[in-house]
Amino acid sequence: SQTIHQWPATLVQPVGSPLSLECTVEGTSNPNLYWYRQAAGRGLQLLFYSVGIGQISSEVPQNLSASRPQDRQFILSSKKLLLSDSGFYLCAWSVSLAGNTIYFGEGSWLTVV
Amino acid sequence: AQKVTQAQTEISVVEKEDVTLDCVYETRDTTYYLFWYKQPPSGELVFLIRRNSFDEQNEISGRYSWNFQKSTSSFNFTITASQVVDSAVYFCALLEPFNKFYFGSGTKLNVKP
């Protein structure tokens, strides 16, 4: 069966510091991968999605970036965090066919102080 | 414009009451998919149901039921005989072609004993 795992689960970082959140999917090949952010415990905002290695689409301009160095690995990064980057970050995957369900990881709580 | 609207920000019910969570969507595509996810306090989003645009049959799964009506672009979710464990934030989502997911802002359900 397929599993998705992201880490770290919680992170407290000072303003201006770098960020790296990692996500891996097991049990499937060539998945679509997504990063979402949920601010203030509510609505989900799509940040990035990827349909293949090295293929990243950005939905919202910001100081975050994403990379997909391997088929089942998705990384969310920032060179300098802002206070407004605080939130709950969710990695997700779906089978690379239209109409398939998206499944989420456990989430990572980021607090920028 | 919002692709998915969940007008109810928060609902509180007493255990054993029935409750309906509303979801209205907007799309020009004839092929699309609708989803409901549950987000308990732990944070992880749990997939509940997926429906495609060509299947308007209502679905029942235990205490959960879903009413899909294309005429009103709605996909409402009813919990019968609610329980405290149903307390969570519930998200409705729309998937259009090319795997772009749109989430509503969520409805927080509080079930009191």
PDB file of all heavy atoms in Angstrom, chain B residues 16-36:
ATOM      1  N   LYS B  16     -25.844  13.064  18.907  1.00  0.00           N
ATOM      2  CA  LYS B  16     -27.030  12.358  18.390  1.00  0.00           C
ATOM      3  C   LYS B  16     -27.881  13.219  17.469  1.00  0.00           C
ATOM      4  O   LYS B  16     -28.814  12.680  16.848  1.00  0.00           O
ATOM      5  CB  LYS B  16     -27.901  11.777  19.508  1.00  0.00           C
ATOM      6  CG  LYS B  16     -27.171  10.724  20.346  1.00  0.00           C
ATOM      7  CD  LYS B  16     -28.082  10.088  21.372  1.00  0.00           C
ATOM      8  CE  LYS B  16     -27.299   9.092  22.223  1.00  0.00           C
ATOM      9  NZ  LYS B  16     -28.139   8.481  23.285  1.00  0.00           N
ATOM     10  N   GLU B  17     -27.571  14.477  17.364  1.00  0.00           N
ATOM     11  CA  GLU B  17     -28.283  15.300  16.383  1.00  0.00           C
ATOM     12  C   GLU B  17     -27.736  15.006  14.988  1.00  0.00           C
ATOM     13  O   GLU B  17     -26.583  14.625  14.824  1.00  0.00           O
ATOM     14  CB  GLU B  17     -28.086  16.789  16.676  1.00  0.00           C
ATOM     15  CG  GLU B  17     -28.891  17.308  17.830  1.00  0.00           C
ATOM     16  CD  GLU B  17     -28.735  18.819  17.992  1.00  0.00           C
ATOM     17  OE1 GLU B  17     -28.135  19.463  17.102  1.00  0.00           O
ATOM     18  OE2 GLU B  17     -29.212  19.358  18.990  1.00  0.00           O
ATOM     19  N   ASP B  18     -28.576  15.227  13.975  1.00  0.00           N
ATOM     20  CA  ASP B  18     -28.119  15.149  12.597  1.00  0.00           C
ATOM     21  C   ASP B  18     -27.579  16.522  12.192  1.00  0.00           C
ATOM     22  O   ASP B  18     -28.082  17.554  12.650  1.00  0.00           O
ATOM     23  CB  ASP B  18     -29.269  14.762  11.666  1.00  0.00           C
ATOM     24  CG  ASP B  18     -29.839  13.386  11.981  1.00  0.00           C
ATOM     25  OD1 ASP B  18     -29.207  12.628  12.742  1.00  0.00           O
ATOM     26  OD2 ASP B  18     -30.940  13.077  11.463  1.00  0.00           O
ATOM     27  N   VAL B  19     -26.597  16.532  11.319  1.00  0.00           N
ATOM     28  CA  VAL B  19     -26.032  17.808  10.877  1.00  0.00           C
ATOM     29  C   VAL B  19     -25.648  17.697   9.407  1.00  0.00           C
ATOM     30  O   VAL B  19     -25.163  16.661   8.953  1.00  0.00           O
ATOM     31  CB  VAL B  19     -24.803  18.194  11.742  1.00  0.00           C
ATOM     32  CG1 VAL B  19     -23.717  17.138  11.673  1.00  0.00           C
ATOM     33  CG2 VAL B  19     -24.253  19.557  11.339  1.00  0.00           C
ATOM     34  N   THR B  20     -25.902  18.767   8.682  1.00  0.00           N
ATOM     35  CA  THR B  20     -25.561  18.810   7.254  1.00  0.00           C
ATOM     36  C   THR B  20     -24.560  19.921   6.994  1.00  0.00           C
ATOM     37  O   THR B  20     -24.784  21.065   7.393  1.00  0.00           O
ATOM     38  CB  THR B  20     -26.814  19.026   6.386  1.00  0.00           C
ATOM     39  OG1 THR B  20     -27.678  17.889   6.530  1.00  0.00           O
ATOM     40  CG2 THR B  20     -26.433  19.166   4.918  1.00  0.00           C
ATOM     41  N   LEU B  21     -23.496  19.559   6.323  1.00  0.00           N
ATOM     42  CA  LEU B  21     -22.469  20.520   5.934  1.00  0.00           C
ATOM     43  C   LEU B  21     -22.652  20.836   4.453  1.00  0.00           C
ATOM     44  O   LEU B  21     -22.701  19.928   3.625  1.00  0.00           O
ATOM     45  CB  LEU B  21     -21.067  19.932   6.185  1.00  0.00           C
ATOM     46  CG  LEU B  21     -20.822  19.340   7.572  1.00  0.00           C
ATOM     47  CD1 LEU B  21     -19.402  18.824   7.685  1.00  0.00           C
ATOM     48  CD2 LEU B  21     -21.127  20.352   8.662  1.00  0.00           C
ATOM     49  N   ASP B  22     -22.726  22.110   4.161  1.00  0.00           N
ATOM     50  CA  ASP B  22     -23.023  22.530   2.785  1.00  0.00           C
ATOM     51  C   ASP B  22     -21.745  22.768   1.982  1.00  0.00           C
ATOM     52  O   ASP B  22     -20.730  23.226   2.512  1.00  0.00           O
ATOM     53  CB  ASP B  22     -23.850  23.814   2.787  1.00  0.00           C
ATOM     54  CG  ASP B  22     -25.196  23.627   3.461  1.00  0.00           C
ATOM     55  OD1 ASP B  22     -25.721  22.502   3.450  1.00  0.00           O
ATOM     56  OD2 ASP B  22     -25.728  24.626   4.005  1.00  0.00           O
ATOM     57  N   CYS B  23     -21.840  22.481   0.706  1.00  0.00           N
ATOM     58  CA  CYS B  23     -20.732  22.735  -0.208  1.00  0.00           C
ATOM     59  C   CYS B  23     -21.301  23.121  -1.561  1.00  0.00           C
ATOM     60  O   CYS B  23     -22.111  22.384  -2.140  1.00  0.00           O
ATOM     61  CB  CYS B  23     -19.847  21.501  -0.350  1.00  0.00           C
ATOM     62  SG  CYS B  23     -18.554  21.658  -1.598  1.00  0.00           S
ATOM     63  N   VAL B  24     -20.899  24.264  -2.073  1.00  0.00           N
ATOM     64  CA  VAL B  24     -21.308  24.715  -3.398  1.00  0.00           C
ATOM     65  C   VAL B  24     -20.056  24.933  -4.214  1.00  0.00           C
ATOM     66  O   VAL B  24     -19.082  25.507  -3.737  1.00  0.00           O
ATOM     67  CB  VAL B  24     -22.119  26.034  -3.308  1.00  0.00           C
ATOM     68  CG1 VAL B  24     -22.417  26.567  -4.706  1.00  0.00           C
ATOM     69  CG2 VAL B  24     -23.411  25.804  -2.536  1.00  0.00           C
ATOM     70  N   TYR B  25     -20.076  24.455  -5.443  1.00  0.00           N
ATOM     71  CA  TYR B  25     -18.874  24.547  -6.262  1.00  0.00           C
ATOM     72  C   TYR B  25     -19.177  25.273  -7.563  1.00  0.00           C
ATOM     73  O   TYR B  25     -20.339  25.448  -7.961  1.00  0.00           O
ATOM     74  CB  TYR B  25     -18.306  23.152  -6.547  1.00  0.00           C
ATOM     75  CG  TYR B  25     -19.243  22.263  -7.329  1.00  0.00           C
ATOM     76  CD1 TYR B  25     -19.202  22.209  -8.717  1.00  0.00           C
ATOM     77  CD2 TYR B  25     -20.207  21.508  -6.660  1.00  0.00           C
ATOM     78  CE1 TYR B  25     -20.081  21.420  -9.426  1.00  0.00           C
ATOM     79  CE2 TYR B  25     -21.092  20.714  -7.359  1.00  0.00           C
ATOM     80  CZ  TYR B  25     -21.028  20.669  -8.737  1.00  0.00           C
ATOM     81  OH  TYR B  25     -21.911  19.898  -9.441  1.00  0.00           O
ATOM     82  N   GLU B  26     -18.112  25.656  -8.240  1.00  0.00           N
ATOM     83  CA  GLU B  26     -18.258  26.373  -9.502  1.00  0.00           C
ATOM     84  C   GLU B  26     -17.227  25.845 -10.488  1.00  0.00           C
ATOM     85  O   GLU B  26     -16.025  25.835 -10.200  1.00  0.00           O
ATOM     86  CB  GLU B  26     -18.047  27.870  -9.288  1.00  0.00           C
ATOM     87  CG  GLU B  26     -18.140  28.702 -10.544  1.00  0.00           C
ATOM     88  CD  GLU B  26     -17.826  30.171 -10.281  1.00  0.00           C
ATOM     89  OE1 GLU B  26     -18.063  30.634  -9.151  1.00  0.00           O
ATOM     90  OE2 GLU B  26     -17.305  30.832 -11.205  1.00  0.00           O
ATOM     91  N   THR B  27     -17.683  25.395 -11.643  1.00  0.00           N
ATOM     92  CA  THR B  27     -16.780  24.924 -12.675  1.00  0.00           C
ATOM     93  C   THR B  27     -17.450  24.994 -14.029  1.00  0.00           C
ATOM     94  O   THR B  27     -18.675  24.900 -14.123  1.00  0.00           O
ATOM     95  CB  THR B  27     -16.327  23.480 -12.397  1.00  0.00           C
ATOM     96  OG1 THR B  27     -15.402  23.072 -13.410  1.00  0.00           O
ATOM     97  CG2 THR B  27     -17.506  22.509 -12.372  1.00  0.00           C
ATOM     98  N   ARG B  28     -16.654  25.141 -15.064  1.00  0.00           N
ATOM     99  CA  ARG B  28     -17.180  25.136 -16.430  1.00  0.00           C
ATOM    100  C   ARG B  28     -16.917  23.795 -17.110  1.00  0.00           C
ATOM    101  O   ARG B  28     -17.380  23.564 -18.222  1.00  0.00           O
ATOM    102  CB  ARG B  28     -16.542  26.257 -17.246  1.00  0.00           C
ATOM    103  CG  ARG B  28     -16.934  27.643 -16.769  1.00  0.00           C
ATOM    104  CD  ARG B  28     -16.337  28.730 -17.646  1.00  0.00           C
ATOM    105  NE  ARG B  28     -16.744  30.062 -17.187  1.00  0.00           N
ATOM    106  CZ  ARG B  28     -16.361  31.184 -17.769  1.00  0.00           C
ATOM    107  NH1 ARG B  28     -15.570  31.148 -18.823  1.00  0.00           N
ATOM    108  NH2 ARG B  28     -16.777  32.346 -17.301  1.00  0.00           N
ATOM    109  N   ASP B  29     -16.166  22.961 -16.435  1.00  0.00           N
ATOM    110  CA  ASP B  29     -15.847  21.658 -17.014  1.00  0.00           C
ATOM    111  C   ASP B  29     -17.026  20.712 -16.869  1.00  0.00           C
ATOM    112  O   ASP B  29     -17.774  20.774 -15.887  1.00  0.00           O
ATOM    113  CB  ASP B  29     -14.614  21.065 -16.328  1.00  0.00           C
ATOM    114  CG  ASP B  29     -13.373  21.858 -16.645  1.00  0.00           C
ATOM    115  OD1 ASP B  29     -13.064  21.999 -17.833  1.00  0.00           O
ATOM    116  OD2 ASP B  29     -12.727  22.345 -15.700  1.00  0.00           O
ATOM    117  N   THR B  30     -17.171  19.821 -17.821  1.00  0.00           N
ATOM    118  CA  THR B  30     -18.233  18.820 -17.715  1.00  0.00           C
ATOM    119  C   THR B  30     -17.748  17.592 -16.951  1.00  0.00           C
ATOM    120  O   THR B  30     -18.544  16.843 -16.405  1.00  0.00           O
ATOM    121  CB  THR B  30     -18.720  18.393 -19.113  1.00  0.00           C
ATOM    122  OG1 THR B  30     -17.579  17.954 -19.872  1.00  0.00           O
ATOM    123  CG2 THR B  30     -19.382  19.559 -19.818  1.00  0.00           C
ATOM    124  N   THR B  31     -16.454  17.404 -16.939  1.00  0.00           N
ATOM    125  CA  THR B  31     -15.868  16.304 -16.166  1.00  0.00           C
ATOM    126  C   THR B  31     -15.114  16.885 -14.984  1.00  0.00           C
ATOM    127  O   THR B  31     -14.190  17.679 -15.168  1.00  0.00           O
ATOM    128  CB  THR B  31     -14.904  15.473 -17.031  1.00  0.00           C
ATOM    129  OG1 THR B  31     -15.599  14.942 -18.155  1.00  0.00           O
ATOM    130  CG2 THR B  31     -14.316  14.338 -16.203  1.00  0.00           C
ATOM    131  N   TYR B  32     -15.518  16.499 -13.824  1.00  0.00           N
ATOM    132  CA  TYR B  32     -14.849  16.975 -12.614  1.00  0.00           C
ATOM    133  C   TYR B  32     -15.159  16.006 -11.482  1.00  0.00           C
ATOM    134  O   TYR B  32     -15.969  15.090 -11.637  1.00  0.00           O
ATOM    135  CB  TYR B  32     -15.282  18.406 -12.251  1.00  0.00           C
ATOM    136  CG  TYR B  32     -16.774  18.591 -12.112  1.00  0.00           C
ATOM    137  CD1 TYR B  32     -17.417  18.396 -10.884  1.00  0.00           C
ATOM    138  CD2 TYR B  32     -17.560  18.967 -13.212  1.00  0.00           C
ATOM    139  CE1 TYR B  32     -18.776  18.563 -10.756  1.00  0.00           C
ATOM    140  CE2 TYR B  32     -18.923  19.136 -13.094  1.00  0.00           C
ATOM    141  CZ  TYR B  32     -19.537  18.938 -11.868  1.00  0.00           C
ATOM    142  OH  TYR B  32     -20.893  19.098 -11.742  1.00  0.00           O
ATOM    143  N   TYR B  33     -14.485  16.222 -10.370  1.00  0.00           N
ATOM    144  CA  TYR B  33     -14.640  15.318  -9.227  1.00  0.00           C
ATOM    145  C   TYR B  33     -14.808  16.147  -7.968  1.00  0.00           C
ATOM    146  O   TYR B  33     -14.230  17.225  -7.840  1.00  0.00           O
ATOM    147  CB  TYR B  33     -13.412  14.407  -9.096  1.00  0.00           C
ATOM    148  CG  TYR B  33     -13.194  13.562 -10.325  1.00  0.00           C
ATOM    149  CD1 TYR B  33     -12.539  14.079 -11.437  1.00  0.00           C
ATOM    150  CD2 TYR B  33     -13.668  12.258 -10.382  1.00  0.00           C
ATOM    151  CE1 TYR B  33     -12.356  13.317 -12.575  1.00  0.00           C
ATOM    152  CE2 TYR B  33     -13.487  11.484 -11.513  1.00  0.00           C
ATOM    153  CZ  TYR B  33     -12.836  12.017 -12.608  1.00  0.00           C
ATOM    154  OH  TYR B  33     -12.669  11.257 -13.734  1.00  0.00           O
ATOM    155  N   LEU B  34     -15.561  15.617  -7.070  1.00  0.00           N
ATOM    156  CA  LEU B  34     -15.821  16.298  -5.801  1.00  0.00           C
ATOM    157  C   LEU B  34     -15.397  15.392  -4.654  1.00  0.00           C
ATOM    158  O   LEU B  34     -15.548  14.168  -4.719  1.00  0.00           O
ATOM    159  CB  LEU B  34     -17.303  16.640  -5.681  1.00  0.00           C
ATOM    160  CG  LEU B  34     -17.808  17.636  -6.721  1.00  0.00           C
ATOM    161  CD1 LEU B  34     -19.319  17.641  -6.779  1.00  0.00           C
ATOM    162  CD2 LEU B  34     -17.290  19.034  -6.397  1.00  0.00           C
ATOM    163  N   PHE B  35     -14.899  16.009  -3.604  1.00  0.00           N
ATOM    164  CA  PHE B  35     -14.360  15.260  -2.466  1.00  0.00           C
ATOM    165  C   PHE B  35     -14.800  15.898  -1.154  1.00  0.00           C
ATOM    166  O   PHE B  35     -15.094  17.088  -1.095  1.00  0.00           O
ATOM    167  CB  PHE B  35     -12.827  15.294  -2.483  1.00  0.00           C
ATOM    168  CG  PHE B  35     -12.188  14.722  -3.712  1.00  0.00           C
ATOM    169  CD1 PHE B  35     -12.117  15.457  -4.882  1.00  0.00           C
ATOM    170  CD2 PHE B  35     -11.646  13.453  -3.689  1.00  0.00           C
ATOM    171  CE1 PHE B  35     -11.524  14.936  -6.026  1.00  0.00           C
ATOM    172  CE2 PHE B  35     -11.044  12.929  -4.815  1.00  0.00           C
ATOM    173  CZ  PHE B  35     -10.981  13.671  -5.989  1.00  0.00           C
ATOM    174  N   TRP B  36     -14.785  15.067  -0.129  1.00  0.00           N
ATOM    175  CA  TRP B  36     -14.868  15.565   1.241  1.00  0.00           C
ATOM    176  C   TRP B  36     -13.702  14.973   2.023  1.00  0.00           C
ATOM    177  O   TRP B  36     -13.382  13.777   1.866  1.00  0.00           O
ATOM    178  CB  TRP B  36     -16.192  15.162   1.906  1.00  0.00           C
ATOM    179  CG  TRP B  36     -17.316  16.090   1.613  1.00  0.00           C
ATOM    180  CD1 TRP B  36     -18.268  15.972   0.635  1.00  0.00           C
ATOM    181  CD2 TRP B  36     -17.619  17.310   2.299  1.00  0.00           C
ATOM    182  NE1 TRP B  36     -19.138  17.031   0.685  1.00  0.00           N
ATOM    183  CE2 TRP B  36     -18.770  17.865   1.687  1.00  0.00           C
ATOM    184  CE3 TRP B  36     -17.044  17.986   3.375  1.00  0.00           C
ATOM    185  CZ2 TRP B  36     -19.352  19.062   2.122  1.00  0.00           C
ATOM    186  CZ3 TRP B  36     -17.618  19.168   3.796  1.00  0.00           C
ATOM    187  CH2 TRP B  36     -18.757  19.697   3.176  1.00  0.00           C
TER     188      TRP B  36
END
